[in-house]
């Protein structure tokens, strides 16, 4: 066993997930993603047939969530337990752990690393997952760090597209909402950038467009980024519409966030006007008005399926990271 304070490099996956942190999709190549997706089916089978899997029996996984979560927390908990692992679920460590006494992130991580084999962390600030990973030798999985990224959501989003379209290149995707703060849209852009000839239209109020820094970083990776500010500019040939809520927790005041809430609501009418018959409608959820509930019945609505896929993809990730295949 290595020392508790040993540092480790955040490394590229390069075909081997074992022992690695998952901090950003920049660690992945297209073949790493294909390798991961190749294994998802077997974990889907375990979950869908309620098979008692012993894959991770004897392992314990800590879930340290500094921000609220339903899907990410629930699916990571479920993924661990469906594989036979135990969990240490810590939601709101600010209230229920020694964080409330002023303990540092690093010491908190060292503590849970003493009792578990991997840590899944959701945090309020960009870069926290990386800091956590630097504080321990056990694998750390980023479940969302502020507005920066949410790589496992990015993976399950790509998986959902792949399942239906059967490829991840030559795609046109429209992402809508709070592009500036949406960590899931940031990860989606990074993920799509790993494959050839993808174009993403980013539809948002001007004030919530990508930061200059992110625009430069993301567009340097080969993906074509087209910023649009009006629903009339939605291309009718898109493969995916990816809607996400205004991230109100990232604004200085509630009032400021409300200025932008539901500027672009996905309604049956919008779908009729600009959607094609093969379109996939996605949303990482939670939905807070950005997609009209009347759309749920449309066969092109994939967001609930997408949510379930989170379980399968996270089971696969845990397995590949904790066990050498
Ligand atoms: C997202 C998140 O928090 O990153 N939700 C999720 O993980 N499924 C998106 C959001 O909260 O809008």
């Amino acid at each position: 066993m290595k020392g508790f304070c040993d540092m480790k490099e955040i490394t590229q996956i390069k075909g081997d997930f074992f022992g690695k942190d998952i901090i950003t999709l920049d660690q992945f190549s297209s073949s790493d993603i294909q390798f991961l997706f190749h294994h998802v089916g077997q974990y889907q089978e375990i979950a869908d047939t309620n098979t008692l899997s012993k894959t991770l029996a004897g392992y314990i996984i800590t879930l340290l969530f500094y921000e609220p979560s339903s899907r990410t927390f629930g699916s990571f908990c479920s993924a661990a337990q469906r594989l036979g692992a135990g969990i240490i679920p810590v939601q709101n460590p600010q209230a229920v752990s020694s964080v409330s006494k002023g303990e540092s992130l690093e010491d908190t991580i060292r503590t849970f690393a003493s009792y578990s084999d991997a840590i899944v962390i959701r945090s309020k600030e960009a870069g926290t997952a990386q800091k956590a990973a630097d504080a321990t030798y056990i694998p750390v999985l980023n479940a969302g760090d502020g507005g920066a990224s949410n790589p496992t959501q990015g993976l399950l989003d790509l998986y959902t597209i792949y399942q239906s379209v059967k490829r991840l290149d030559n795609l046109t995707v429209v992402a809508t909402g709070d592009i500036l703060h949406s960590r899931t849209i940031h990860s989606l852009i990074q993920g799509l950038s790993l494959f050839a000839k993808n174009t993403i239209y980013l539809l948002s109020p001007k004030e919530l467009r990508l930061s200059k820094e992110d625009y430069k970083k993301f567009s340097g990776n080969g993906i074509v980024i087209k910023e649009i500010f009006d629903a009339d500019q939605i291309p009718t040939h898109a493969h995916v519409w990816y809607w996400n809520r205004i991230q109100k927790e990232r604004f200085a005041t509630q009032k400021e966030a409300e200025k932008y809430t539901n500027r672009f609501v996905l309604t049956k009418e919008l779908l009729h006007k600009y959607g094609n018959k093969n379109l996939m409608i996605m949303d990482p959820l939670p939905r807070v008005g950005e997609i009209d509930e009347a759309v749920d019945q449309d066969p092109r609505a994939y967001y609930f399926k997408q949510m379930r896929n989170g379980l399968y993809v996270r089971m696969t990730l845990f397995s590949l990271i904790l066990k050498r295949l």
Side-chain angles (χ1 to χ4, degrees):
M1 194 159 116
K2 288 199 261 167
F4 288 121
C5 296
D6 282 353
M7 302 274 280
K8 63 178 170 333
E9 297 249 307
I10 300 302
T11 44
Q12 297 297 307
I13 303 295
K14 285 201 172 143
D16 183 12
F17 287 72
F18 184 71
K20 303 233 167 103
D21 304 306
I22 305 293
I23 305 298
T24 152
L25 289 187
D26 288 343
Q27 292 169 261
F28 288 74
S29 66
S30 59
S31 53
D32 294 327
I33 291 192
Q34 270 146 5
F35 177 79
L36 177 79
F37 291 177
H38 176 74
H39 287 88
V40 175
Q42 75 196 73
Y43 295 99
Q44 168 160 6
E45 173 82 14
I46 291 171
D48 290 355
T49 55
N50 298 91
T51 304
L52 188 62
S53 165
K54 295 208 168 79
T55 306
L56 293 184
Y59 289 75
I60 305 272
I61 294 167
T62 295
L63 296 120
L64 190 60
F65 276 57
Y66 289 79
E67 279 197 335
S69 172
S70 297
R71 270 150 292 273
T72 309
F73 183 77
S75 63
F76 268 120
C77 283
S78 178
Q81 295 182 107
R82 282 180 188 277
L83 293 171
I87 54 171
I88 304 177
V90 191
Q91 259 182 316
N92 198 3
Q94 305 89 315
V96 302
S97 77
S98 289
V99 172
S100 69
K101 303 176 190 168
E103 189 162 58
S104 70
L105 172 79
E106 286 79 359
D107 284 357
T108 301
I109 294 296
R110 286 175 194 121
T111 305
F112 289 106
S114 305
Y115 309 134
S116 55
D117 305 292
I119 296 175
V120 180
I121 183 169
R122 168 167 284 194
S123 56
K124 291 181 193 300
E125 276 162 38
T128 301
Q130 173 77 71
K131 264 195 216 155
D134 288 343
T136 180
Y137 61 94
I138 69 168
V140 170
L141 287 80
N142 181 6
D145 59 336
S149 72
N150 189 343
T152 66
Q153 179 73 42
L155 292 170
L156 77 91
D157 291 340
L158 290 181
Y159 182 70
T160 305
I161 299 171
Y162 182 68
Q163 247 190 341
S164 172
V165 188
K166 311 286 180 224
R167 61 165 205 273
L168 287 168
D169 55 15
N170 283 285
L171 297 174
T172 298
V173 175
V174 178
T176 302
D178 184 355
I179 310 287
L180 176 66
H181 303 111
S182 171
R183 56 190 172 202
T184 67
I185 293 178
H186 296 169
S187 288
L188 181 69
I189 300 172
Q190 285 180 294
L192 289 168
S193 303
L194 300 172
F195 298 85
K197 299 200 173 136
N198 287 326
T199 299
I200 191 159
Y201 286 76
L202 300 176
L203 170 63
S204 69
K206 273 215 167 95
E207 300 86 336
L208 302 182
R209 72 204 292 178
L210 271 186
S211 69
K212 277 204 181 89
E213 201 187 14
D214 281 343
Y215 183 89
K216 212 169 141 207
K217 178 179 153 203
F218 296 144
S219 53
N221 290 342
I223 190 168
V224 176
I225 298 179
K226 298 192 180 188
E227 293 184 296
I228 55 176
F229 303 105
D230 198 314
D232 290 350
Q233 295 170 282
I234 295 176
T236 53
H237 63 281
H239 300 89
V240 178
W241 285 6
Y242 189 100
W243 253 241
N244 188 205
R245 71 186 172 95
I246 299 299
Q247 310 281 300
K248 65 177 168 43
E249 62 276 37
R250 311 275 174 238
F251 289 79
T253 63
Q254 183 78 16
K255 218 170 146 214
E256 179 70 9
E258 277 164 13
K259 281 205 306 212
Y260 305 107
T261 303
N262 296 331
R263 284 268 182 100
F264 303 105
V265 178
L266 203 166
T267 58
K268 278 177 140 178
E269 292 67 40
L270 193 77
L271 201 49
H272 182 68
K273 224 167 160 186
Y274 303 107
N276 59 64
K277 67 175 189 346
N278 297 319
L279 182 69
M280 299 177 70
I281 303 164
M282 297 175 63
D283 186 329
L285 306 174
R287 160 174 56 184
V288 282
E290 74 278 7
I291 298 182
D292 193 324
E293 286 182 17
V295 174
D296 296 359
Q297 305 311 321
D298 193 293
R300 293 169 289 182
Y302 275 77
Y303 29 94
F304 298 129
K305 190 170 184 190
Q306 178 185 0
M307 173 163 76
R308 175 79 179 175
N309 280 343
L311 170 64
Y312 310 143
V313 170
R314 289 174 175 132
M315 286 171 79
T316 314
L317 271 174
F318 274 150
S319 260
L320 293 175
I321 290 168
L322 291 171
K323 279 278 183 77
R324 226 184 245 292
L325 284 189

